[in-house]
C-alpha cells in the first residue's frame, strides 16, 4: 500500500511527540516508535513471555478495548479518564491494564506513555491490536506462560 507524504509526515510528527526528548535524530524514530509503522505488531520474546504470565490478560485487554471504543476525541485526557475509570471499576491498579496494553500495542515492555501510544496509533489500530493481544493471550497461554 502506497501512502502519501502527508500521512508519513503526520505519523513521524506524532511519533516524535509521543517519544519526546528521547529522539536525537530521525533514525531514532525506528528504535523508539517503529511499532507505529508496522502492522501487525512484532512482539519481542521477553515482552511476550512476561505478557503471558500476567493474570487475566485477555479479559483486561478486551475490557480496555470496550472502554476506549467510544472515547471522542481520541486524545490523551479522555483516554486517560476512560482507562482510569475502568481500572477503578475492575478493582485493579491502572498499571495492571497498562502493561498488557503496552505489549499488545507496541510489542515491547518499555515504550512511550500508553496514552501517547494510543493516540499515535489511532483508534482503529489501537482497538485492533488490543483485541489481537487478547486473542494471542487466549490462544497460546500454555506455550507463552512456560517460555522464558
Amino acid at each position: 500500500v502506497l501512502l502519501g507524504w502527508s500521512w508519513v509526515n503526520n505519523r513521524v510528527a506524532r511519533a516524535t511527540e509521543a517519544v519526546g526528548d528521547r529522539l536525537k535524530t530521525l533514525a531514532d524514530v525506528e528504535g523508539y516508535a517503529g511499532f507505529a509503522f508496522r502492522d501487525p505488531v512484532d512482539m519481542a520474546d521477553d515482552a511476550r513471555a512476561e505478557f503471558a504470565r500476567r493474570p487475566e490478560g485477555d479479559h483486561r485487554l478486551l475490557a480496555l478495548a470496550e472502554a476506549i471504543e467510544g472515547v471522542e476525541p481520541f486524545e490523551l485526557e479522555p483516554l486517560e479518564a476512560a482507562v482510569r475509570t475502568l481500572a477503578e471499576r475492575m478493582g485493579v491498579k491502572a498499571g495492571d491494564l497498562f502493561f498488557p496494553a503496552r505489549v499488545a500495542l507496541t510489542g515491547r515492555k518499555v515504550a512511550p506513555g500508553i496514552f501517547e501510544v494510543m493516540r499515535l496509533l489511532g483508534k482503529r489500530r489501537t482497538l485492533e491490536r488490543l483485541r489481537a493481544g487478547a486473542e494471542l493471550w487466549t490462544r497460546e497461554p500454555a506455550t507463552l506462560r512456560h517460555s522464558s
Side-chain angles (χ1 to χ4, degrees), residues 35 41-42 101-112 117 129:
F35 63 86
V41 69
D42 182 25
R102 180 175 293 111
V103 174
L105 297 173
T106 71
R108 301 178 182 163
K109 293 185 345 181
V110 177
V117 167
R129 289 184 183 195

Side-chain angles (χ1 to χ4, degrees), residues 48 52 139-148:
R48 185 178 175 137
R139 186 179 66 235
E140 303 181 42
T143 303
L144 294 174
R145 284 182 180 68
H146 293 71
S147 63
S148 52

Side-chain angles (χ1 to χ4, degrees), residues 35 37-43 125 129 132:
F35 63 86
F37 299 92
R38 283 187 295 282
D39 284 311
V41 69
D42 182 25
M43 198 174 286
R125 292 172 75 211
R129 289 184 183 195

